[in-house]
Amino acid sequence: MKKILLSCFLAACAMSAFATGDLVSNDNRFEVRFITNNKRLPDGKFQQQLQSQAAWQDFLTRHYGWYVIFNEENKKPHRAFGSPVPTTGGTAQERAMNFITTELSGFDIPVQDLVLQGTPNSGKHQYVNFYQKYQGLKVLYSRMYVKMTLSGEVILFGADVFSDITTTILPVFSQQQAMSLAQDGITDPVTAVSCSGELFILPVPDDKIKKNSYRLVYEVMVETKDANGVPGKYRTLVDAHSGKVLSRINKVVFVGPPTANTDVNVSATVYPTHLYNASQTLPLVNMEIQANSTIFYTDGSGYLGLPNTAPTNATLSLQGLWCDVTTNNVTPTYSVTLNPGTNNISFNSNANIRELSGYYHVNVIHDDMRSYFTTWNTTQTPNMDNPLPTLIDVGGSCNAFYTGTDINFIAADATCNCLSQCGDVVYHEYGHGINDKFYQWQGASWDNGAMGEGYADVWGCSITGSALLGVGFYVANQNPIRRYDINPKVYPGDIVGEVHADGEIIAGAWWDLGVSMGIPFMKTLFTDTYWGLVTGPDGSEGQVYMDILIEALTDDDIPTNGGDNNICNGTPNGTAISQAFANHGITLLSGTALAHNSIFYSPAQQAIVLNATITNIPSTCGFNGAFAKYRTDDVSAWQSVPLTLVSGNNYSGSIPAQPNGTIVRYFVGLLDNNNIEANIQPGGANNTVNAQLPYYIMVGYDSAAIDDMDNNYIGNWTTGVTGDNATTGIWEQDDPTPSYLNFLDPGSIVQPDVQHTSGGTFCAFTSNPIAPCSATDATCPAGNADVDGGRTTLESPPFDATPYTNPAISYWRWYSNNQGATPMTDYWYVLISNNGGASWDTVEYTMVSSGQEWMMKAFKISDILTPTSTMVMRFIAEDANAGSLIEAAVDDLVIWDESTTGMDDASAISSFTIYPNPAGDNVFTSFSLSSGEEVKITISDALGRIVYTEDMGNISAGYHQHKINTAALSAGVYMMTISTGKGQKTVKLTIAE
């Protein structure tokens, strides 16, 4: 096995730290460049735009005739020169700094970040050079350059400094990992790797989009010697967030001697958790040692005692009682002479850390499994008490898998690491074997893929005690494959038809139980459910997950545990169990249907009646009532309102009357026999963390303006702002084309298939699939045109909120981030400004998907900032994580104002509003009656002729909504009248073209 020296210089690995005189140079076979267009010329049109900006024109008014070539990425002069400009100051540094602060103030020079590099004097000119630091880190290739006459007049300057750096300075990869990653692609023998651990910022220009990206990097020196003995020393910049080698230049040579390692007992260096945590030297247990033609095995501490009184030849193999590691069909082995006394043996020289870590972790999970399945003994087959083939560095890309006979870990590539180095991934794959063999032992088969993936995750997370599974999977970052401490996936809203994603629902339930009751309690109950042999075909997850809950409750309710074997009257730990599962939409009421038509408007000072229909209520067990919860802001406690049986399956309850200009938030749900909230609508609205949007009711509000992107406008929407960097999925306004993770499964929709406006056609959305893809094209992936590579912004038209008494805003939005390889890890932002965009306040900042449906958000402007005449909003969708599928849409932005108070007692009509107005093919009326009345609606044209009439019959007291088809009406202005026997109310209606 190749040995290298990993050494760290005490001095900083600065730009010139490795340059040491005249050296023998190697060729450039291993060179890496982060600037790819080496034939680039200045973009004349863009240079002209930059020259016309105010900062340069202001400079020219004072110093006519100066010439400039702009840095097209930072938008500052790369080089500018002209007639001498006098300066003031006692030193060259002071003169240069005074020039920068007075003459270049319009270019946003980060003066506070400039560090003096030197003030050389050639005898002809005085030079002053600064470099830039960002949050204490040197910005590579940064330079603020000023050249002066000997009398102190500036004749030339350059500003290759950066005022838009936003990258985090917290590395994902450690210094040690960067030293390893710096060797990627070098095929010559590596003799030494060195680095101080100092971090730098590297600007990487993109001439296509005229923008820099900023990378946090380590500077590493990799030393080599080729077959001809020619040394190489490669100055290498390694991205501290992605692990990618961004730059490699052959500079000098340095060779360090190899080293050797030995450890006590039979041991090896492994990753006890994952490769982003420190490695440790740990014993290799249950490992095979052949001595004197006899096979022995090390014990649980890596120890083997032999009676030898003379030196004995032995062969150690990376296989044993429970694991057999191979790479390319070869099991690592080596021979050693065992002498009487202590033998300190390390396997490090004869197997790599991928092989050693895989072996170590298979033994960990075997012993963990055995501590729970104590009655599944070695004489009963099939079982897991045999050497499981563990294949390392197999062909493929970014994966690990169980085949039924072995577990496999694909070799690392530029995207992914070899996952045998991630303990929880090994446990996950071994967990598939437990699932498979246990069910086979019982004569059954494990058929549900989502349950299988979820249960395998539980094995992984329960052993590590971490909610994060698969840290170490990605080369680019330390993001987990899945995590269970945030964004709980809830049935049925988050079912997407992909087994890994759907498995997160059941795994999340078990994890939550482990958090509330402890992992040993959870693990015991979890393994108990195996005996129920719960399974079902893919697609039956709702039933399967409810079956698991029932198994868990019955396993908890045994008499020796204090139960009575009757889960209908509760179990000893039923509340904790039921709550953990209910967090993910799994309840004893999963088969009970709750139907509720949400309302979005109510008159003031009148009880708000909520109705629901509940079907399939358990007759003897599980149901303890229905309820609604409401509040009038986003921070106070939810107030509960019971929904009581009215007749048949109909339930009703009332939110107390609210004053004019109130926005009520609410959700509805059921209670099970443990008083656990179940079947919440909207799903997840009751979450205490990362809650879903609730329903909104506009109390005592009238719509004042609407932009439905069809016939009703408040102005022109725009897309793209400074900071946007998405490469695909840019906002547009059009008729949306749907995209699906699986076009055969409507539940896997990513981009919506319809806009929101009734009778409308258009909305704003993040790009349609690119031709020739279509909605039913199986070869067109959902990621064809989703948001990729960063953020994209939709900006509303400016609007004036000052004419209104108590203005509020509502909008309908679609946000999908819950599908793909890293679901629910990207954010949706909504911002509002009252100064035309000079500053912004937050309306929404969430990673909670809308669950493949349109949802409404409403808020009072004054709850966030002061209403002004220069209001504007931004809607931002962002892809910041590899593998995410991100789509968003916006429609029907409405500006509301508080209704005028009072009631026309003579008419018995307490309110009458229409929406949208102007209308298209349909208009919705909302009205409230103080008493039951015969109601009639008419529409008259500008000449007073009745063009529409409808007798609605006797209408009960209370709030009502009604839809009227206006498609047959020509564009123009009409009057709509609602009348009772006591009077009438009239509003103006506009039909748009």
Side-chain angles (χ1 to χ4, degrees), residues 400-695:
F401 55 92
Y402 166 75
T403 66
T405 58
D406 49 44
I407 56 176
N408 298 257
F409 302 94
I410 289 175
D413 59 23
T415 302
C416 309
N417 295 299
C418 179
L419 298 177
S420 62
Q421 302 166 105
C422 303
D424 50 10
V425 176
V426 178
Y427 309 150
H428 173 98
E429 299 307 331
Y430 194 98
H432 281 303
I434 297 171
N435 300 344
D436 184 30
K437 300 305 182 186
F438 189 98
Y439 270 45
Q440 287 182 26
W441 171 47
Q442 293 297 315
S445 62
W446 191 293
D447 297 321
N448 191 267
M451 179 185 172
E453 294 298 335
Y455 266 49
D457 274 6
V458 175
W459 283 107
C461 292
S462 64
I463 295 175
T464 64
S466 171
L468 280 61
L469 185 134
V471 174
F473 180 87
Y474 300 106
V475 170
N477 53 60
Q478 293 188 34
N479 291 338
I481 300 172
R482 292 181 283 279
R483 65 184 303 172
Y484 292 104
D485 58 341
I486 60 173
N487 305 322
K489 289 200 170 182
V490 179
Y491 183 85
D494 291 322
I495 284 284
V496 296
E498 197 282 320
V499 293
H500 296 86
D502 294 347
E504 291 183 57
I505 296 173
I506 189 62
W510 285 116
W511 176 257
D512 286 358
L513 182 59
V515 170
S516 63
M517 296 295 290
I519 287 178
F521 174 87
M522 178 275 285
K523 194 72 165 287
T524 298
L525 202 62
F526 164 73
T527 52
D528 284 345
T529 63
Y530 273 76
W531 298 90
L533 300 178
V534 176
T535 192
D538 289 345
S540 64
E541 286 73 29
Q543 183 62 59
V544 168
Y545 294 166
M546 182 177 177
D547 291 347
I548 294 170
L549 172 59
I550 294 171
E551 288 293 329
L553 289 171
T554 54
D555 291 335
D556 181 59
D557 204 35
I558 57 177
T560 56
N561 194 37
D564 63 358
N565 291 319
N566 178 13
I567 66 172
C568 288
N569 60 10
T571 78
N573 301 286
T575 299
I577 297 168
S578 297
Q579 185 62 68
F581 278 70
N583 292 345
H584 300 269
I586 308 166
T587 73
L588 293 177
L589 298 175
S590 295
T592 302
L594 169 63
H596 168 69
N597 291 323
S598 62
I599 61 175
F600 71 93
Y601 173 81
S602 176
Q605 304 299 344
Q606 184 170 306
I608 305 170
V609 178
L610 304 177
N611 297 309
T613 300
I614 304 173
T615 55
N616 196 30
I617 297 174
S619 58
T620 60
C621 178
F623 180 69
N624 202 30
F627 70 96
K629 285 189 175 180
Y630 76 95
R631 62 187 181 192
T632 57
D633 55 46
D634 290 324
V635 295
S636 60
W638 292 100
Q639 304 296 311
S640 186
V641 172
L643 301 181
T644 58
L645 181 64
V646 177
S647 63
N649 297 318
N650 300 316
Y651 287 71
S652 184
S654 296
I655 295 175
Q658 302 294 322
N660 232 35
T662 301
I663 300 178
V664 173
R665 294 94 166 145
Y666 81 99
F667 61 86
V668 296
L670 308 177
L671 294 174
D672 74 2
N673 61 325
N674 290 297
N675 283 321
I676 302 300
E677 295 178 358
N679 296 28
I680 302 301
Q681 295 187 15
N686 63 332
N687 290 347
T688 55
V689 178
N690 294 317
Q692 181 60 275
L693 290 179
Y695 297 124

